[in-house]
Amino acid sequence: MTTTFANALAWAKQELGGAETTASETNAAEDIRRAQAAIQASMAQITAAAETAAAADHRAEGDRRQAIYDALYFVAASDGSITPAERAKLAIGLRGMLGEGFDEEAVDDGLEMARVLVAREGKNAAGVIARTITDEGERASLLLMASVVAWLGGGVGTKEGLALQALAAAFGVPIKTLHELMAAGAKAAKA
C-alpha cells in the first residue's frame, strides 16, 4: 500500500510537471510506510488482546458453571457415591434451578467432571470450588442450591450436612448463615 502511495505521488508529480522526487519527499514516503506498519502492528496487538480477553471471559464463565456442578456433586456424593436414584433427583433439582437452560447432556458432562474433581481432591474439593466462586452473593446462592440438593430425598443426612459445612467454611460463610440457607433450601425442596 505504501509503495502504491509513493508510486502514485511520483506519477502525479510527473504528470503535473513536477521535478523528480527529492530526498525530503523520499523521506516523507518512508515515514508514511513506517507509520502504516506501526498502525498495522498496533491493530494486530489490539485484536490479539481482545481475543485473549474474550477467551478468558468464556473460560471464567465455564469455570463458574462447572463450580455449580462441583458443589452439588460434592454434597450429593458426600455419603460415598451417587446412586442412579440420587443422580435422577439431582437432575430434577438442576432442571428446577436452571429452568429452560437445562441441558441433560451438559449436566451429565458437568457431573462427570465434578466426580473426577471430588475423587481427586476429596475434602479439598470445597477449597477448589471456593477459588472459582469468589463473589459473596454467588457463594450464598451456591450454598442455597447445594442445600436444596441435600434436602431432596427426605432430608439432610450427617454426611451431607458436613459437606455443606465444608463448603460454607471454604466460602467463609458463618454457620448461622448456612443454617438460614439450609432452611430456605428445605422449603424449596419441598415445594
Side-chain angles (χ1 to χ4, degrees):
M1 181 171 187
T2 57
T3 305
T4 305
F5 178 77
N7 290 341
L9 184 59
W11 173 81
K13 284 184 180 187
Q14 183 179 3
E15 290 299 316
L16 297 174
E20 290 188 15
T21 305
T22 65
S24 64
E25 291 168 341
T26 302
N27 288 341
E30 185 59 34
D31 288 344
I32 291 171
R33 280 193 286 277
R34 279 194 292 265
Q36 287 175 332
I39 290 169
Q40 289 174 343
S42 293
M43 290 302 292
Q45 288 175 340
I46 290 169
T47 301
E51 289 171 353
T52 300
D57 286 347
H58 181 71
R59 209 171 22 259
E61 180 182 325
D63 290 348
R64 283 192 301 276
R65 187 178 311 117
Q66 183 57 47
I68 293 171
Y69 295 120
D70 295 344
L72 300 181
Y73 187 92
F74 180 71
V75 171
S78 60
D79 61 358
S81 67
I82 292 185
T83 66
E86 288 174 319
R87 192 175 184 101
K89 288 178 187 174
L90 188 56
I92 291 168
L94 284 165
R95 186 176 296 118
M97 288 179 242
L98 300 175
E100 296 298 318
F102 179 78
D103 178 1
E104 190 92 34
E105 188 174 313
V107 170
D108 287 341
D109 292 345
L111 290 176
E112 179 57 26
M113 290 174 64
R115 183 196 63 75
V116 170
L117 172 75
V118 171
R120 185 182 69 229
E121 298 292 333
K123 293 179 182 179
N124 294 329
V128 172
I129 296 165
R131 285 193 296 274
T132 302
I133 305 297
T134 57
D135 180 78
E136 190 176 310
E138 288 180 355
R139 286 177 167 187
S141 296
L142 192 50
L143 281 170
L144 176 61
M145 292 167 62
S147 294
V148 171
V149 168
W151 279 103
L152 292 174
V156 178
T158 302
K159 292 180 180 181
E160 291 169 323
L162 291 172
L164 285 167
Q165 288 178 19
L167 274 176
F171 287 168
V173 173
I175 291 295
K176 180 181 181 209
T177 304
L178 173 63
H179 288 159
E180 291 167 357
L181 292 168
M182 289 175 68
K187 289 178 185 176
K190 294 175 184 176

